[in-house]
């Protein structure tokens, strides 16, 4: 009987590790700061020539340049404040609107949304329904039984929005 002895691998591949692997890690980084350049006003050739004269003349004449820059900065601040005010105009609530504004709001209601039912108060009767048409003299309302009623605008006392039904 033969003895089984462990032998080494039958195929040996010689691999030499003389060089160690190179690491590709980032070691240094830089950031770029944004620099705001001053706003330059368009200058005519005459102004450029005057500027050259001012540069040669006494320092007292340089003061108007500084005041012009301050005025420009103040104008820019005023313009940005006006733009901010335009962006934050508050929209009136339906309850705060007067009768004509309410009718115009309902007439120009977005088509993507379902129409809003309202109660239209007159001296004789109250109408509940959807505004179908509005012109300066009269409005047309679609009441729940799919009939339409035409009411003169001068007879309407108040409009209350009921809400969107789901």
């Amino acid at each position: 009987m033969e003895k089984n002895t462990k032998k080494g691998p039958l195929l040996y591949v010689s691999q030499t590790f003389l060089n160690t692997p190179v690491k590709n890690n980032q070691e240094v980084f830089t950031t770029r700061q944004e620099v705001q350049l001053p706003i330059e006003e368009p200058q005519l050739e005459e102004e450029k020539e005057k500027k050259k004269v001012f540069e040669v003349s006494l320092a007292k004449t340089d003061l108007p340049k500084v005041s012009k820059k301050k005025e420009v900065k103040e104008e820019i601040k005023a313009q940005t404040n006006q733009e901010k005010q335009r962006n934050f105009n508050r929209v009136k609530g339906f309850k705060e609107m007067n009768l004509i504004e309410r009718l115009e709001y309902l007439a120009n209601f977005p088509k993507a949304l379902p129409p809003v039912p309202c109660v239209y108060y007159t001296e004789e009767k109250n109408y509940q329904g959807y505004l179908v048409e509005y012109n300066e003299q009269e409005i047309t309302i679609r009441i729940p039984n799919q009939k339409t009623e035409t009411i003169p605008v001068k007879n309407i006392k108040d409009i209350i929005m009921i809400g969107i039904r789901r």
Side-chain angles (χ1 to χ4, degrees):
M1 290 218 193
E2 293 182 28
K3 291 184 180 180
N4 288 337
T5 60
K6 287 191 175 184
K7 298 181 182 177
L10 298 176
L11 179 64
Y12 179 76
V13 179
S14 174
Q15 296 179 356
T16 60
F17 294 104
L18 298 177
N19 297 333
T20 58
V22 178
K23 297 178 184 176
N24 290 331
N25 294 343
Q26 181 178 354
E27 295 178 5
V28 178
F29 67 93
T30 58
T31 59
R32 190 170 95 181
Q33 295 178 352
E34 294 184 23
V35 178
Q36 293 181 351
L37 299 175
I39 300 172
E40 296 181 18
E41 297 177 5
Q43 298 175 352
L44 299 175
E45 293 177 14
E46 297 173 4
E47 291 178 348
K48 289 181 181 179
E49 291 174 8
K50 288 180 184 178
K51 214 174 202 183
K52 290 178 183 177
V53 173
F54 286 131
E55 291 173 359
V56 175
S57 65
L58 298 174
K60 290 182 182 179
T61 56
D62 290 338
L63 293 176
K65 288 182 183 179
V66 175
S67 64
K68 285 183 182 179
K69 289 181 181 179
K70 288 182 181 178
E71 290 175 5
V72 170
K73 288 180 182 178
E74 290 174 1
E75 289 176 11
I76 292 171
K77 287 180 183 178
Q79 289 175 354
T80 56
N81 287 340
Q82 289 175 357
E83 290 174 3
K84 287 180 183 177
Q85 289 175 355
R86 288 183 200 147
N87 292 340
F88 295 113
N89 286 343
R90 186 176 170 274
V91 178
K92 276 187 181 179
F94 191 77
K95 293 179 182 178
E96 297 172 0
M97 295 180 187
N98 63 24
L99 186 66
I100 303 300
E101 288 175 335
R102 289 181 184 188
L103 288 171
E104 289 176 358
Y105 175 79
L106 291 171
N108 298 323
F109 201 73
K111 302 296 180 194
L113 297 175
V116 179
C118 296
V119 177
Y120 301 88
Y121 292 99
T122 61
E123 292 177 3
E124 304 124 16
K125 190 177 175 183
N126 298 340
Y127 298 93
Q128 180 178 347
Y130 304 100
L131 182 68
V132 176
E133 187 179 345
Y134 163 68
N135 58 32
E136 300 295 325
Q137 292 81 23
E138 59 189 17
I139 64 170
T140 305
I141 302 169
R142 187 177 74 232
I143 55 178
N145 62 0
Q146 301 301 321
K147 292 184 181 179
T148 57
E149 293 281 335
T150 303
I151 306 169
V153 173
K154 61 183 178 182
N155 292 350
I156 298 175
K157 298 299 177 194
D158 195 16
I159 301 172
I160 295 178
M161 188 183 296
I162 298 173
I164 300 173
R165 294 185 182 184
R166 294 184 183 184

